[in-house]
Amino acid sequence: IWAHIYEYLFFQYSTVSICLVIGVSILTFIFGTTSAWIMSFYDLPFKRLLSFLLIMPIAIPPYAVAYCYADISDYSAKIQNLEKFDYLTYFISLIPSVRSTFGAIFVLSLTLFPYVYLICKNSFINNAKSILEAAANLGASRRTLFFKFALPISRPAIAAAIALVTMETLADFGVVHYLGVDSLSVGIYKAWFGFDDLNSSARIASILFTFSFLIIFLEKLSRKKNSQRYISYGKTNNHNLFPKGSFLPGTFILLLISISLIIPLSWLITC
């Protein structure tokens, strides 16, 4: 059985798992760092409430979010629910189904980005704020402040958060199994219960454990190579770095909260 799994299935399991790790890491990095940047330095209305809502998606099980978006994106369900609105049928049919690797990346990213958000926000406020304020007073643009100052200063914190996200991604079973994505975690289940071979299941689990150990090792190695310390002298000001021009940042935060919390929660309540 192991020879069969190794010859026909193992490469697929490994490739899909690597794609999941890369995709979820990129998407959670974008969601987490951008939302942390906005909530740390922009003046937004109801800022405390928005900050709390950005954390809440971590409390929703990822497989529940997968159920939600699979139900929304399934073509038959969409047409049946909107059969009275013929003019919307074409536009609804354009929504892609999440029953794919890209759909699993999307669902996992919505539930895991709060890890990056929390760690990155703490690093921005405690380690980078005074340096960013000094650079802003010297005329640095917002883009320069983000890419040249904030990200390098917070690189160890971001690396640790991404390492946590990747291990959660590798260990996830509910999302990938329900969406029909064959990752290593699904391979463990199929080898054990499908082929009734505990030994092959243990081998795949050992490989999955090796991947997780490799991620931890790479994260520690990256911190050693970037061991610069940035020290902020004096107390940081409590005012926001960018008190004006918050329309686009506020829109991004509301959109992120909507797709990661409001839509899944509404679906869970109404279904």
Side-chain angles (χ1 to χ4, degrees):
I1 293 177
W2 171 249
H4 171 79
I5 293 174
Y6 182 79
E7 184 175 357
Y8 296 103
L9 300 174
F10 178 72
F11 179 76
Q12 178 186 358
Y13 293 157
S14 301
T15 303
V16 171
S17 294
I18 293 173
C19 290
L20 285 174
V21 166
I22 295 175
V24 173
S25 298
I26 293 174
L27 212 53
T28 53
F29 171 79
I30 295 173
F31 289 163
T33 56
T34 305
S35 57
W37 171 260
I38 293 172
M39 297 306 297
S40 298
F41 302 116
Y42 280 83
D43 185 17
L44 299 178
F46 306 105
K47 191 172 181 179
R48 290 186 177 180
L49 176 62
L50 294 176
S51 181
F52 175 76
L53 293 178
L54 284 170
I55 305 172
M56 288 304 295
I58 206 172
I60 304 178
Y63 61 83
V65 181
Y67 294 161
C68 168
Y69 279 101
D71 185 55
I72 293 173
S73 63
D74 283 347
Y75 182 79
S76 59
K78 290 183 292 187
I79 300 303
Q80 183 178 2
N81 293 334
L82 296 172
E83 58 184 0
K84 296 181 180 180
F85 305 96
D86 294 334
Y87 59 92
L88 291 177
T89 301
Y90 173 74
F91 297 100
I92 296 298
S93 64
L94 295 178
I95 300 176
S97 175
V98 296
R99 298 183 184 276
S100 63
T101 302
F102 294 105
I105 290 172
F106 173 74
V107 170
L108 288 171
S109 299
L110 292 182
T111 57
L112 296 178
F113 84 89
Y115 288 117
V116 182
Y117 164 72
L118 285 171
I119 297 175
C120 194
K121 181 184 176 184
N122 180 74
S123 179
F124 283 164
I125 294 176
N126 294 327
N127 299 329
K129 192 167 186 178
S130 295
I131 297 175
L132 291 174
E133 288 176 349
N137 291 332
L138 294 175
S141 64
R142 298 183 183 186
R143 182 177 180 180
T144 301
L145 291 175
F146 182 73
F147 288 103
K148 299 295 184 180
F149 291 92
L151 289 184
I153 293 173
S154 303
R155 187 179 300 173
I158 296 173
I162 295 297
L164 178 60
V165 166
T166 55
M167 287 187 288
E168 289 282 348
T169 302
L170 287 173
D172 177 79
F173 173 76
V175 173
V176 291
H177 183 259
Y178 180 72
L179 298 181
V181 179
D182 290 332
S183 65
L184 285 171
S185 59
V186 174
I188 296 171
Y189 177 84
K190 288 184 176 181
W192 193 346
F193 296 97
F195 293 104
D196 194 22
D197 186 3
L198 181 60
N199 292 329
S200 296
S201 178
R203 290 186 181 186
I204 300 175
S206 300
I207 295 169
L208 184 63
F209 173 79
T210 303
F211 281 172
S212 301
F213 180 80
L214 181 62
I215 290 171
I216 297 174
F217 174 77
L218 292 176
E219 185 270 330
K220 289 188 176 182
L221 186 63
S222 66
R223 282 193 295 174
K224 288 183 179 180
K225 289 185 177 181
N226 300 279
S227 59
Q228 300 93 340
R229 295 186 178 181
Y230 301 88
I231 302 175
S232 298
Y233 295 98
K235 296 182 179 181
T236 59
N237 298 321
N238 292 325
H239 62 78
N240 297 290
L241 193 60
F242 310 123
K244 297 181 180 180
S246 58
F247 175 76
L248 288 178
T251 303
F252 175 84
I253 294 297
L254 290 177
L255 179 62
L256 185 58
I257 292 175
S258 298
I259 63 177
S260 63
L261 178 65
I262 296 177
I263 293 177
L265 193 60
S266 300
W267 181 85
L268 289 170
I269 293 173
T270 56
C271 70

